[in-house]
Amino acid sequence: MSTYVLATAAAITLVIKSAGAVIVGARALPLRISRAIDMSVIAVLTTLVLTSTLTTNTSIHVDARLIGVAAGAVALTHRRSSVTVAAVAAVATTALVRLFQ
Amino acid sequence: MRCLLPETIQKRIHRHRRSHRSPARSRPHERVGHQASTPRIPTVWDGVKRAIPLALAVSAFGASFGTLAVDAGMTAPMSILMSALVFAGSAQYAAVEIASAGAGTIGILTSVALLNARYLPVGIALSPAIRGRLPSRLILAHLVVDETWAVSFEDGEPQTPLFVGSGLTILVAWVVGTGIGSYAGDVIDPKVFGFDVAFPAVFLGYLARRSWNTRALLATATGAGAFALTTTVPAGMTMLIAGLAGLIVGMTR
């Protein structure tokens, strides 16, 4: 990959990442627009959770990851447990399942 | 790091430090202000602490990316430079894989744009935390990634100190990880240690902790629906579809 391609990839990424900060900035958006952005992020994050739990490349695979994320979800049901605790539970469970597979 | 912080953030941090000054050292009129209960303003260090569990996983994946990039023919300094300047994991993986498969410039850049398209709504959601003059905003916008979105919100609003602290932590972890992988090879396989599930677990955690209503549930359902298209559309398209569907859910009365 040439320096030119790398620099262009960096520029494209920065344009996408900064569009919100440059165009919108700290201005308060109309309620409907900010709600739409919020819902869009929820939808994207849901897809991201499912994709990183259940896919390998572009095919669906059910494996140790699902058990690990389920363990994280169980940890989250306890009010006092933090997101960090959930992440540790998920990682440890996945590693254990893979160890005994 | 100080030079990266816009003036507004520095003022907030300064205010926070003043409000936590020891009462014995405070002047009488300040003591009155101190007694009034003010909500605790998160600090940059809070953002660092929130990002540390993710940073461990990010550095392991950085090492994995560095190894992949060098195997695909990139030099180690180029792969480190790519991690520092592009700072977008999935797009970097795709770009290197596509380049090693012989794709041209247009193909590489198209995949980068598609895989990063989700950062448009994420960047808008984080925009209240990205303040200052244009150069400052551009520098801070570089820190917009899924992980910073996941940990930067407090009381429904993105907080600049959390965003800056978590963003710098994740960036350093990603670049250092890439450096280790580029020079030393795949020293830690993130999948053996289960690090690959740290991301869905943390994202799930922050989704679970937010406030929910029927519309938010509907947005989740559209995200799941977009995921169902995984096997039929190119990589990255599912998230773009999810983002657009979520926008429609939010715009509908």
Side-chain angles (χ1 to χ4, degrees):
Chain A
M1 193 184 302
S2 69
T3 315
Y4 159 74
V5 176
L6 195 154
T8 313
I12 289 172
T13 308
L14 187 60
V15 165
I16 295 170
K17 285 181 174 183
S18 63
V22 171
I23 298 165
V24 181
R27 275 173 293 184
L29 289 168
L31 179 66
R32 216 166 149 202
I33 303 289
S34 61
R35 193 178 64 195
I37 299 295
D38 195 26
M39 294 306 120
S40 176
V41 173
I42 289 177
V44 169
L45 261 288
T46 303
T47 309
L48 207 55
V49 168
L50 291 169
T51 303
S52 41
T53 307
L54 294 168
T55 65
T56 305
N57 299 323
T58 51
S59 56
I60 294 175
H61 271 126
V62 176
D63 54 25
R65 291 173 297 176
L66 184 62
I67 301 169
V69 174
V74 170
L76 283 168
T77 57
H78 292 274
R79 275 187 187 179
R80 284 185 185 177
S81 72
S82 66
V83 173
T84 307
V85 171
V88 170
V91 168
T93 307
T94 308
L96 275 174
V97 172
R98 283 176 182 160
L99 190 67
F100 292 107
Q101 260 179 346
Chain B
M1 189 166 70
R2 189 178 173 81
C3 63
L4 279 175
L5 298 177
E7 202 180 342
T8 46
I9 311 168
Q10 291 181 21
K11 281 179 182 168
R12 287 182 73 180
I13 294 170
H14 181 63
R15 254 200 327 265
H16 170 71
R17 285 181 183 151
R18 280 186 59 191
S19 69
H20 282 73
R21 194 184 291 168
S22 162
R25 291 175 61 195
S26 306
R27 292 171 187 166
H29 70 277
E30 283 181 330
R31 250 177 269 157
V32 173
H34 185 79
Q35 281 165 357
S37 63
T38 50
R40 185 178 173 276
I41 299 169
T43 63
V44 171
W45 178 238
D46 289 328
V48 172
K49 284 191 287 187
R50 284 190 184 193
I52 282 173
L54 280 169
L56 294 173
V58 166
S59 57
F61 273 95
S64 172
F65 168 73
T67 310
L68 177 78
V70 170
D71 286 348
M74 279 178 86
T75 63
M78 275 286 275
S79 63
I80 295 167
L81 192 66
M82 187 180 197
S83 282
L85 296 180
V86 179
F87 188 34
S90 53
Q92 286 180 231
Y93 269 106
V96 166
E97 279 177 357
I98 290 171
S100 68
T105 305
I106 301 292
I108 295 169
L109 297 178
T110 305
S111 72
V112 167
L114 272 178
L115 283 163
N116 285 335
R118 70 180 183 281
Y119 290 139
L120 187 63
V122 169
I124 296 172
L126 282 168
S127 65
I130 305 171
R131 299 179 186 185
R133 295 184 178 177
L134 187 63
S136 300
R137 275 188 275 166
L138 285 175
I139 291 170
L140 289 176
H142 185 52
L143 304 177
V144 170
V145 284
D146 303 312
E147 292 81 2
T148 49
W149 177 86
V151 304
S152 295
F153 281 76
E154 187 87 13
D155 299 326
E157 278 291 313
Q159 305 293 325
T160 308
L162 294 177
F163 171 68
V164 172
S166 60
L168 289 174
T169 308
I170 299 294
L171 176 62
V172 169
W174 179 243
V175 174
V176 170
T178 304
I180 292 169
S182 304
Y183 284 107
D186 213 349
V187 283
I188 301 170
D189 183 351
K191 288 177 182 166
V192 170
F193 292 93
F195 286 143
D196 50 333
V197 297
F199 304 106
V202 169
F203 297 149
L204 186 68
Y206 283 99
L207 279 173
R209 292 282 184 264
R210 59 158 290 131
S211 57
W212 285 92
N213 53 28
T214 313
R215 195 183 294 271
L217 287 171
L218 195 59
T220 307
T222 59
F227 165 74
L229 301 171
T230 297
T231 53
T232 51
V233 298
M237 283 297 284
T238 49
M239 279 179 271
L240 193 61
I241 293 166
L244 292 172
L247 279 178
I248 295 167
V249 170
M251 292 293 280
T252 313
R253 286 183 191 277

